[in-house]
Amino acid sequence: MVKEPAVVLTNGWLDNIHAKAAHGLLRGSDRFEILALIDPVHAGKDAGEVMDGKPNHIPIFPTITESIHHLSIKPVYCLVGVTAQGGKLPDSLRTAIVESIRQGLSVVSGMHTYLTDDPEFKDLASKNNVQLIDIRKSRPIKEMRFWSGEIFSIKIPRIAVLGMDCAIGKRTTAKLLMEMCRKNGIDTQLIYTGQTGWLQGLKHGFILDAVINDFIGGEIERVIVECARESSPELMFVEGQSSLRNPSGPCGSELLLSGNIKGVILQHAPGRKLFEGLEKHGCRIPSLEEEIQLIRIFGAKTLAVTLNEEGMHHQDMMKYQKRMEAELKIPVVRPLKESPQKVLPVIREFMENNGE
Amino acid sequence: MVKEPAVVLTNGWLDNIHAKAAHGLLRGSDRFEILALIDPVHAGKDAGEVMDGKPNHIPIFPTITESIHHLSIKPVYCLVGVTAQGGKLPDSLRTAIVESIRQGLSVVSGMHTYLTDDPEFKDLASKNNVQLIDIRKSRPIKEMRFWSGEIFSIKIPRIAVLGMDCAIGKRTTAKLLMEMCRKNGIDTQLIYTGQTGWLQGLKHGFILDAVINDFIGGEIERVIVECARESSPELMFVEGQSSLRNPSGPCGSELLLSGNIKGVILQHAPGRKLFEGLEKHGCRIPSLEEEIQLIRIFGAKTLAVTLNEEGMHHQDMMKYQKRMEAELKIPVVRPLKESPQKVLPVIREFMENNGE
């Protein structure tokens, strides 16, 4: 895949949980070469430094115009790297998008307020001869298919990377696990189910949020079947969305059931007590033990737990990790702090059991 | 609500599981007055007789034209009463729809192949000055809302009527329970989640299948909040869809979680061993006991089990009912064979506990 030069727009929210798409892009994309970040609040700093304290030499500019003025390569795309609550377009982003179009950049958005439904954007884009790409727009119904049971013919082992909450690091962990498996000689594919996976240039997947409910099962089956046919890997990871019991919109059982997935790696943030965004309602994240039981009722086995460091000190994390490993009797790893290599034996065992 | 005169089109499938919408309409609608059924295979018989052995004096004609020739009132609507696998329009229905339009009838369809997307239908409808109504078409995204947590302010007790499989009688049971509660002086509303509920003229609800996944939680919350504001009943039933573990597309956890529903009445067909439509894959329906455990993990209590008689002899049903009642220690009733009155005490108790 030849990478397209792009800038990422975060509109002041780079250090916010709603900039998940931007964070994913900064962690690496096969589809886009990220030249710079546009964020008036963090302008002048290093993007990696702001994101997780590790410089990545991607500069931050206050505006698109400023970035074009300073960059040696002209970006072709402006990638909207934030999602407002649920995906509606905040007014404050409008100015930046208009500026991008005026500067001749095509705009890619994963938000639910479609750029292509906006008369001002459409008109401007046509005048400036640039594209507006709404990656969250559902495919036409005619192209959709219903679940057929074809999934039962796919024997390649698959593992869903689920989480105890949304915005907890499922995709990042899934990517690290894929890289670890590949490094160890296992031909592995990661199936994305969110917009960031598409932005990162993953080969197989779909944007689950954007699908009409009746076709969810069929789409899950389709991407797994296509991945098997086109890439025939030895192992598939499937990115989870939300969590099995998130009241704002649970997700996960359809992946396990319609995708006939028998293995789970479960991402958990022991320092987070309440569901993200639902703190004012006091919605508690359920216990890890009960979640593993729930996954078992859905016919899958939790192979390992991966930890998000949020809100926990190193010492407490180490104690927690040790205790949970003893209690659950499965590997418990901290993928951003240590090699996820410890998960390899259980993955190999799962593969030897033909993904069961 | 003034009822509109209508005929129901089942196209030879009246005695088939895919004629669920027709069956619901024959069981009663506040929106439409059903004058006749159009079904070439069953023409000349009584519609109720074919459906469940109980005559209801609704005649069956082989064609629309024939029905208009014999009926004393001219129908205004032709209601498509069948859904093909997942909702695609079968070619054999096309001729009958064209005939309806030519005869001046507006056509209502709940299928995923939209009438309004079909150039032939559109052209004909405009020439004949009739309407094409696709009830399964999603509302525009601009009208959708995300889940906000407002649900926690709604204190009216609500019970979800879930099932162990699709096409197992959830809506019929829910309707009987609503009627029973009303007869016993409880001001009750039934919230529909499928097309048949709309056809039957229920006041509150939405068509879950047709909603873009990201908005499911928000839509569930919206209809419950609207029902509380506009009708302020003492009790709400919420119609379930599919089942919690149907591999073709599970459903139910979003109702319980996003709707903050704490009570469940669970519809079960002990004579059905494999999921409907998935027999060739050997997909077994899980055990009732484990389903009740699963519902508990989702934070709700199963108040009663209701039985579908399918494939079981009367004697065996009686034995099964007795045994399950002893094992589960909750009422187990056969709503089509006996009064659902036995469920009333547990419903009253649930209401006294403020729906918890």
Side-chain angles (χ1 to χ4, degrees):
Chain A
M1 206 184 264
V2 180
K3 293 190 188 188
E4 300 277 4
V7 293
V8 176
L9 188 60
T10 52
N11 204 41
W13 300 338
L14 173 56
D15 57 353
N16 188 292
I17 210 155
H18 295 301
K20 274 201 307 180
H23 300 165
L25 285 163
L26 291 174
R27 292 209 170 89
S29 169
D30 292 327
R31 196 179 294 272
F32 299 104
E33 181 69 41
I34 310 304
L35 306 176
L37 216 116
I38 313 300
D39 193 307
V41 172
H42 301 283
K45 298 182 204 159
D46 176 286
E49 184 77 48
V50 176
M51 177 171 72
D52 53 16
K54 292 179 201 151
N56 62 3
H57 311 293
I58 294 178
I60 308 180
F61 297 101
T63 63
I64 299 274
T65 312
E66 196 94 354
S67 76
I68 293 175
H69 188 71
H70 283 90
L71 291 168
S72 55
I73 302 170
K74 196 191 162 184
V76 176
Y77 290 95
C78 168
L79 314 175
V80 180
V82 288
T83 46
Q85 196 211 348
K88 297 233 173 189
L89 180 69
D91 282 345
S92 56
L93 265 180
R94 176 167 286 274
T95 322
I97 291 173
V98 166
E99 194 185 327
S100 296
I101 301 173
R102 287 222 168 99
Q103 288 285 358
L105 273 65
S106 287
V107 184
V108 176
S109 159
M111 297 199 283
H112 265 301
T113 304
Y114 301 145
L115 302 174
T116 48
D117 281 355
D118 187 296
E120 187 191 359
F121 292 156
K122 263 179 84 171
D123 186 51
L124 261 181
S126 130
K127 276 183 191 148
N128 287 278
N129 202 24
V130 302
Q131 282 182 285
L132 300 177
I133 303 171
D134 288 306
I135 57 173
R136 214 166 192 164
K137 209 162 194 171
S138 205
R139 291 186 303 133
I141 279 194
K142 280 170 207 162
E143 289 177 18
M144 303 297 251
R145 45 170 268 182
F146 291 102
W147 188 89
S148 70
E150 193 183 354
I151 193 72
F152 295 122
S153 69
I154 306 299
K155 301 300 177 198
I156 300 166
R158 36 203 183 269
I159 296 170
V161 181
L162 303 185
M164 296 295 292
D165 192 3
C166 59
I168 200 167
K170 293 181 282 288
R171 200 205 52 257
T172 301
T173 290
K175 201 160 175 283
L176 291 169
L177 289 171
M178 174 185 71
E179 285 159 5
M180 184 272 288
C181 286
R182 285 183 176 173
K183 222 183 293 170
N184 283 277
I186 303 170
D187 183 1
T188 310
Q189 285 287 331
L190 167 56
I191 292 178
Y192 69 88
T193 54
Q195 50 174 335
T196 309
W198 183 90
L199 289 168
Q200 289 185 326
L202 292 170
K203 195 173 166 193
H204 303 286
F206 73 114
I207 298 175
L208 195 138
D209 269 357
V211 175
I212 290 177
N213 201 55
D214 215 10
F215 297 105
I216 295 277
E219 285 290 278
I220 294 166
E221 183 176 61
R222 178 184 65 80
V223 293
I224 293 174
V225 168
E226 278 182 13
C227 176
R229 285 217 190 108
E230 293 170 17
S231 302
S232 56
E234 292 169 278
L235 175 67
M236 296 181 204
F237 286 107
V238 179
E239 177 197 5
Q241 291 296 325
S242 184
S243 74
L244 284 164
R245 287 184 279 173
N246 189 315
S248 75
C251 183
S253 65
E254 57 284 68
L255 295 176
L256 300 179
L257 294 165
S258 302
N260 193 32
I261 298 175
K262 301 296 185 189
V264 167
I265 286 176
L266 187 55
Q267 176 87 359
H268 179 46
R272 197 190 293 187
K273 300 301 174 202
L274 302 170
F275 279 113
E276 201 279 313
L278 313 184
E279 295 82 1
K280 65 176 172 190
H281 303 296
C283 293
R284 293 189 72 82
I285 296 174
S287 81
L288 195 58
E289 293 81 350
E290 200 187 50
E291 198 81 350
I292 291 172
Q293 189 192 353
L294 178 58
I295 289 165
R296 198 180 305 123
I297 296 181
F298 282 120
K301 191 178 161 186
T302 303
L303 305 174
V305 169
T306 49
L307 299 177
N308 172 323
E309 310 282 324
E310 182 187 306
M312 291 273 282
H313 291 294
H314 180 65
Q315 291 298 328
D316 293 337
M317 271 309 256
M318 291 223 299
K319 268 189 230 163
Y320 181 85
Q321 181 183 21
K322 218 167 176 180
R323 182 162 62 81
M324 291 318 288
E325 210 152 41
E327 276 180 26
L328 302 174
K329 297 181 179 62
I330 52 175
V332 177
V333 289
R334 298 165 64 187
L336 294 184
K337 296 285 175 186
E338 59 185 5
S339 157
Q341 194 79 13
K342 217 163 67 177
V343 186
L344 192 61
V346 290
I347 292 176
R348 286 214 194 273
E349 195 189 334
F350 179 72
M351 291 174 67
E352 278 157 21
N353 289 334
N354 301 310
E356 296 213 348
Chain B
M1 205 182 263
V2 181
K3 294 191 187 189
E4 300 276 5
V7 294
V8 176
L9 188 61
T10 53
N11 204 40
W13 299 339
L14 174 56
D15 57 352
N16 188 292
I17 210 156
H18 295 301
K20 274 203 304 182
H23 299 164
L25 285 163
L26 291 174
R27 292 204 171 91
S29 170
D30 291 327
R31 196 180 294 272
F32 298 105
E33 181 68 41
I34 310 303
L35 306 176
L37 215 117
I38 313 300
D39 194 307
V41 172
H42 301 284
K45 297 181 202 160
D46 176 284
E49 184 76 49
V50 175
M51 179 172 68
D52 53 17
K54 292 178 203 153
N56 62 0
H57 310 295
I58 294 177
I60 309 180
F61 296 101
T63 62
I64 299 275
T65 312
E66 197 93 355
S67 75
I68 292 174
H69 188 70
H70 284 90
L71 291 168
S72 55
I73 302 170
K74 194 189 163 186
V76 176
Y77 290 95
C78 168
L79 314 174
V80 180
V82 289
T83 47
Q85 198 213 343
K88 297 233 172 190
L89 180 69
D91 282 344
S92 57
L93 266 180
R94 176 168 285 275
T95 321
I97 292 172
V98 165
E99 196 185 327
S100 296
I101 301 173
R102 288 222 166 100
Q103 288 286 356
L105 273 66
S106 288
V107 185
V108 176
S109 159
M111 297 198 285
H112 265 302
T113 304
Y114 301 144
L115 302 174
T116 47
D117 281 355
D118 188 297
E120 188 190 0
F121 293 156
K122 264 180 84 169
D123 186 52
L124 261 181
S126 128
K127 276 184 190 149
N128 288 277
N129 201 24
V130 301
Q131 283 182 283
L132 300 176
I133 302 170
D134 287 307
I135 58 173
R136 213 167 193 163
K137 209 162 194 171
S138 205
R139 290 186 304 132
I141 279 192
K142 281 169 208 164
E143 290 176 20
M144 304 297 249
R145 47 170 265 179
F146 292 103
W147 188 89
S148 70
E150 193 182 355
I151 193 72
F152 296 122
S153 69
I154 307 297
K155 301 300 178 198
I156 300 166
R158 34 203 185 271
I159 296 171
V161 181
L162 303 186
M164 296 296 291
D165 192 3
C166 58
I168 202 168
K170 292 181 283 289
R171 199 205 52 257
T172 301
T173 290
K175 201 161 176 283
L176 291 170
L177 289 171
M178 173 185 70
E179 285 159 5
M180 184 270 289
C181 286
R182 285 183 176 175
K183 223 182 292 169
N184 284 276
I186 303 171
D187 183 0
T188 309
Q189 285 287 334
L190 167 56
I191 291 177
Y192 69 87
T193 54
Q195 50 174 333
T196 308
W198 183 91
L199 289 168
Q200 289 186 325
L202 292 171
K203 196 174 165 193
H204 303 285
F206 72 112
I207 298 175
L208 195 137
D209 269 357
V211 175
I212 291 177
N213 203 54
D214 215 9
F215 297 105
I216 296 277
E219 285 289 280
I220 293 166
E221 183 177 61
R222 177 184 64 81
V223 292
I224 292 174
V225 168
E226 279 183 12
C227 176
R229 286 217 188 111
E230 294 170 16
S231 302
S232 57
E234 293 169 277
L235 176 67
M236 296 181 203
F237 286 107
V238 179
E239 177 196 6
Q241 290 296 325
S242 185
S243 73
L244 284 164
R245 287 185 279 175
N246 189 316
S248 74
C251 183
S253 65
E254 56 286 67
L255 295 175
L256 299 179
L257 295 165
S258 302
N260 193 31
I261 298 175
K262 301 295 186 189
V264 167
I265 286 177
L266 186 55
Q267 176 86 359
H268 178 47
R272 198 190 291 187
K273 300 301 173 204
L274 302 171
F275 279 113
E276 201 279 312
L278 314 185
E279 296 81 0
K280 67 177 169 187
H281 302 297
C283 294
R284 293 188 73 81
I285 296 174
S287 82
L288 195 58
E289 292 82 349
E290 199 186 51
E291 199 81 350
I292 291 171
Q293 189 192 351
L294 177 58
I295 289 165
R296 198 180 303 121
I297 296 181
F298 281 119
K301 191 178 159 185
T302 303
L303 305 175
V305 169
T306 49
L307 298 177
N308 172 323
E309 309 282 323
E310 182 187 306
M312 291 273 282
H313 292 293
H314 180 63
Q315 291 298 329
D316 293 337
M317 271 309 255
M318 292 222 298
K319 267 189 232 164
Y320 181 84
Q321 182 182 20
K322 220 169 172 176
R323 181 161 64 81
M324 290 321 285
E325 213 153 36
E327 277 181 26
L328 302 174
K329 297 181 180 57
I330 52 175
V332 177
V333 290
R334 298 164 65 186
L336 293 183
K337 295 287 175 185
E338 60 185 4
S339 157
Q341 194 79 15
K342 217 163 67 177
V343 186
L344 192 58
V346 289
I347 291 176
R348 286 216 193 272
E349 195 189 334
F350 178 72
M351 290 174 69
E352 280 157 20
N353 289 334
N354 300 312
E356 296 214 348

